Amino acid sequence: MKQNFVVGIVAVLALVVGVFLALNIAPPKSSEPAYMQLYPQARALSDFELFNQRGESVTKTDLMDKWTLAFVGYTFCPDICPTTLAELKRVYPELIKLPAEHPLQVLFLSVDPARDTQQRLNDYIQFFNPDFIAASGEHNQLFPLVRSMGMMYSMSDNTENPNYLVDHSASVVVINPQANVIGRFKPHLEPGKLAVSDGEQILADMPMLLNP
């Protein structure tokens, strides 16, 4: 009888301790983002020299000491580019409020330099957010850069056609303050909708990256 009483007391104490721990000790944080595809190893970007919407030179130095969300596309893109930039525009005010040692910037990298002049880039990016960087350059600068980001692009049509299309990756790439690519937000696939990166997923994961 006495033994049963002791066992009962121990069980009650164990229950009380379990409840206390559940209420007062937070579960350990995940060490990896929930949505971003994290590369096994950070990828160093190739050296490059481009121009931005203000006619200024853009090099790897401009990515140092900042977090960068980069997207590859072109201004004549009929769907994925404007939709992705609109999504980044929507979440950008919340992203720049996140605690971070290094500031965050958005880079739109045009891979259609024949049509995307400085003035065209300026007019286009102003529509989304004047704080965004829009940059382009010669293909001998663009192709190695895009490839080092883990992305791709190619001219799918004859460029003699003024309305030619450009095939390009649709992910939003994350570049750390050392100018290394650490991962990407892949397009969100949903039946009946355009496949673009989800702004809410970016918002959910970036705090962990900005303030580990």
Side-chain angles (χ1 to χ4, degrees), residues 181-200:
V181 180
I182 63 169
R184 61 181 177 175
F185 289 96
K186 298 182 70 175
H188 181 63
L189 301 177
E190 190 173 339
K193 292 188 177 181
L194 192 64
V196 297
S197 298
D198 190 320
E200 293 305 318

Side-chain angles (χ1 to χ4, degrees), residues 71 73-85 108 112 115-116 120 124 128 156-157 163-168 194 196:
F71 179 72
Y74 63 115
T75 67
F76 286 83
C77 175
D79 41 35
I80 293 175
C81 295
T83 306
T84 299
L85 285 170
F108 171 64
D112 184 19
R115 292 181 295 184
D116 286 345
R120 172 79 183 182
Y124 187 76
F128 297 100
S156 59
D157 293 334
N163 298 315
Y164 65 84
L165 299 177
V166 181
D167 289 332
H168 61 89
L194 192 64
V196 297

Side-chain angles (χ1 to χ4, degrees), residues 17-95:
V17 170
V19 171
F20 175 81
L21 293 175
L23 293 176
N24 292 278
I25 299 180
K29 292 183 179 180
S30 171
S31 60
E32 294 190 357
Y35 301 105
M36 186 184 82
Q37 179 188 13
L38 193 66
Y39 293 156
Q41 291 184 329
R43 302 182 179 190
L45 292 176
S46 66
D47 292 326
F48 59 89
E49 185 169 1
L50 308 174
F51 64 87
N52 67 15
Q53 71 266 33
R54 294 179 290 275
E56 301 163 339
S57 175
V58 178
T59 67
K60 190 189 293 188
T61 303
D62 295 289
L63 304 183
M64 301 293 289
D65 300 319
K66 302 178 184 70
W67 284 95
T68 303
L69 295 176
F71 179 72
V72 174
Y74 63 115
T75 67
F76 286 83
C77 175
D79 41 35
I80 293 175
C81 295
T83 306
T84 299
L85 285 170
E87 189 74 352
L88 290 171
K89 172 186 176 181
R90 183 178 68 82
V91 299
Y92 183 73
E94 296 301 317
L95 288 171

Side-chain angles (χ1 to χ4, degrees), residues 6-22:
V6 172
V7 171
I9 291 296
V10 171
V12 171
L13 288 174
L15 178 63
V16 171
V17 170
V19 171
F20 175 81
L21 293 175

Side-chain angles (χ1 to χ4, degrees), residues 86-134:
E87 189 74 352
L88 290 171
K89 172 186 176 181
R90 183 178 68 82
V91 299
Y92 183 73
E94 296 301 317
L95 288 171
I96 60 176
K97 291 179 184 177
L98 296 173
E101 180 181 353
H102 301 285
L104 180 142
Q105 62 185 1
V106 172
L107 169 65
F108 171 64
L109 183 61
S110 168
V111 291
D112 184 19
R115 292 181 295 184
D116 286 345
T117 62
Q118 174 200 333
Q119 188 60 54
R120 172 79 183 182
L121 289 174
N122 186 62
D123 293 343
Y124 187 76
I125 210 65
Q126 290 290 328
F127 178 79
F128 297 100
N129 191 314
D131 291 336
F132 289 1
I133 301 167

